[in-house]
Amino acid sequence: MSILQVSTSSLSSSTLLSISPRKSPKSSRLIRCSVEGTTVTERKLSATSEPLLLRAVKGEVVDRPPVWLMRQAGRYMKSYQTLCEKYPSFRDRSENADLVVEISLQPWKVFKPDGVILFSDILTPLSGMNIPFDIVKGKGPIIFNPPQSAADVAQVREFIPEESVPYVGEALKRLRNEVGNESAVLGFVGAPFTLSSYVIEGGSSKNFTQIKRLAFSQPKVLHALLQKFTTSMITYIRYQADSGAQAVQIFDSWATELSPVDFEQFSLPYLKQIVEAVKQTHPNLPLILYASGSGGLLERLARTGVDVVSLDWTVDMAEGRDRLGRDIAVQGNVDPGVLFGSKEFITSRIHDTVKKAGRDKHILNLGHGIKVGTPEENVAHFFEVAQGIRY
């Protein structure tokens, strides 16, 4: 057996795990050095290697799990808070290519995550679909005229990203140039049901009364809206990929408000349609699917055909892998609250997650977005431990 090695900076607080040895990838070479009597083995990847995250998703042999955090850009970073003081409007920050690039790169410059995700919002396409909205500090998204009828849905336009959000394409191209192959550039979109939920509810919701009323009383109207979002998100994913995104995450955060039978009617068919259409034109683009509170729907999420299912923290990682099967990659799933704990506790949870996930097809991440107020030094520790792991 070989030992899962960690960097010497985290040896004092890390638990060593035993992992069976595997053949090393041809695109790397070993570098050995001795630090205070401790031999450290690192694998130096060639400059032409694909980013670690992409290789892990494909099931290639990697030396450690790739790591990034959902809601990675902003929120908890002092540099982001300073920028917010100068540009208080979220839409101003997320619809300006210069600011999008600057904010997206803030965590990259400090922590060097293996995924650099576009700073944006899943609602960004709405204006280009003739759905006026805003994102108000302290209130969240507000949809000004929630559609309520077939006539309202008929006014929703299909999305043309080149015309409506050219700044997204420009930002992705610049991010790709900036990080090269040191990290994977990630794009993202909202799933049709989640986007429809925001639009029908008029913003965030606790009970999802309005969309369920529409689903169960006028299903044809909701299906018409879902189809428009599906067609538009297919276009948007392709646009992001063509602009430089090397993987795209689909957020169906609110689909888990549906019962399994309703998920199979109002979410699953549209997710499958997106995956099938994108794979026709971009067969090698990894698609990641995340749904908060998805423990009851895991097997159905896998049926969408995505490459990666992102688990939230309410699912045990080992059990999640057993339920999904080893052919599909997994992402996650450390509780964001763990980052408020001690460094020793954070270290322990990281190693527990990695051990349960195994060394194949795992992207280390949180089980939800990082929380406002998370100590920045704890985020630094999270990355230090994660990047110090060696299989």
Side-chain angles (χ1 to χ4, degrees):
M1 300 292 286
S2 63
I3 296 296
L4 173 65
Q5 300 174 12
V6 296
S7 65
T8 54
S9 60
S10 59
L11 279 171
S12 60
S13 59
S14 300
T15 303
L16 299 181
L17 306 178
S18 295
I19 302 291
S20 299
R22 295 280 296 272
K23 186 177 179 181
S24 300
K26 294 180 180 179
S27 60
S28 63
R29 57 190 177 89
L30 292 175
I31 296 178
R32 298 183 184 276
C33 62
S34 180
V35 181
E36 296 180 353
T38 301
T39 299
V40 179
T41 302
E42 294 186 357
R43 194 170 300 280
K44 182 68 174 179
L45 296 174
S46 67
T48 58
S49 294
E50 276 193 317
L52 179 66
L53 187 149
L54 301 185
R55 292 187 288 115
V57 170
K58 292 178 180 179
E60 294 183 15
V61 177
V62 293
D63 294 331
R64 64 170 176 84
V67 56
W68 67 281
L69 302 181
M70 286 189 282
R71 285 184 178 157
Q72 179 170 266
R75 297 176 66 92
Y76 64 97
M77 297 187 73
K78 293 179 181 178
S79 56
Y80 176 73
Q81 294 164 5
T82 299
L83 188 143
C84 289
E85 293 176 1
K86 186 176 181 181
Y87 303 96
S89 167
F90 179 87
R91 290 193 63 181
D92 286 348
R93 297 192 297 274
S94 63
E95 298 179 9
N96 176 299
D98 291 335
L99 294 178
V100 169
V101 171
E102 180 180 352
I103 295 169
S104 301
L105 290 176
Q106 284 178 341
W108 160 253
K109 291 177 179 178
V110 178
F111 308 119
K112 286 296 187 289
D114 297 299
V116 174
I117 190 165
L118 174 77
F119 179 77
S120 187
D121 193 86
I122 64 171
L123 302 185
T124 293
L126 293 189
S127 292
M129 299 182 71
N130 196 32
I131 304 174
F133 83 104
D134 201 0
I135 299 177
V136 180
K137 184 176 181 180
K139 293 184 178 180
I142 296 176
I143 311 301
F144 294 116
N145 298 300
Q148 298 177 341
S149 66
D152 293 337
V153 172
Q155 299 302 311
V156 176
R157 296 194 297 260
E158 291 185 0
F159 186 50
I160 304 175
E162 295 89 345
E163 296 179 2
S164 301
V165 294
Y167 50 85
V168 168
E170 181 183 347
L172 285 168
K173 290 174 184 176
R174 289 165 59 180
L175 288 172
R176 183 72 178 274
N177 289 333
E178 181 73 24
V179 304
N181 276 334
E182 292 183 67
S183 178
V185 174
L186 304 172
F188 69 93
V189 302
F193 181 80
T194 291
L195 291 172
S196 296
S197 295
Y198 276 110
V199 170
I200 299 298
E201 295 288 336
S204 300
S205 177
K206 291 184 178 180
N207 300 313
F208 297 87
T209 304
Q210 299 305 318
I211 191 166
K212 289 189 177 183
R213 177 183 287 117
L214 188 66
F216 303 146
S217 66
Q218 301 182 71
K220 289 184 179 180
V221 176
L222 179 55
H223 280 300
L225 182 60
L226 289 167
Q227 186 58 56
K228 286 195 173 184
F229 277 127
T230 298
T231 303
S232 296
M233 292 309 103
I234 291 168
T235 301
Y236 196 25
I237 292 173
R238 289 169 171 167
Y239 174 73
Q240 291 187 24
D242 291 341
S243 299
Q246 294 164 287
V248 175
Q249 179 153 315
I250 303 168
F251 285 89
D252 206 355
S253 305
W254 304 132
T256 51
E257 293 293 327
L258 293 168
S259 68
V261 65
D262 293 320
F263 176 82
E264 294 196 354
Q265 181 176 359
F266 296 107
S267 181
L268 180 60
Y270 298 102
L271 291 170
K272 291 177 69 174
Q273 189 180 148
I274 289 173
V275 174
E276 290 170 2
V278 170
K279 290 298 183 180
Q280 288 178 1
T281 56
H282 298 75
N284 298 319
L285 178 72
L287 296 175
I288 307 168
L289 177 60
Y290 174 78
S292 179
S294 59
L297 297 173
L298 281 190
E299 292 82 359
R300 289 173 173 83
L301 297 185
R303 284 166 51 194
T304 62
V306 294
D307 303 278
V308 186
V309 171
S310 189
L311 304 178
D312 79 345
W313 75 92
T314 64
V315 179
D316 180 83
M317 175 58 78
E319 293 174 5
R321 294 230 71 169
D322 288 342
R323 290 172 61 188
L324 290 167
R326 292 282 167 167
D327 290 337
I328 193 167
V330 293
Q331 179 175 271
N333 66 336
V334 178
D335 184 341
V338 166
L339 295 182
F340 290 96
S342 68
K343 289 181 170 58
E344 291 75 18
F345 184 68
I346 294 169
T347 299
S348 174
R349 285 301 179 89
I350 290 171
H351 282 290
D352 179 66
T353 299
V354 171
K355 183 176 181 179
K356 288 180 176 178
R359 64 173 300 152
D360 295 318
K361 293 189 173 184
H362 175 226
I363 303 168
L364 183 61
N365 206 316
L366 301 178
H368 198 278
I370 192 168
K371 302 293 185 181
V372 175
T374 299
E376 197 165 339
E377 62 270 22
N378 285 2
V379 177
H381 181 73
F382 183 94
F383 278 107
E384 179 185 5
V385 172
Q387 293 165 345
I389 290 173
R390 293 294 179 270
Y391 288 130

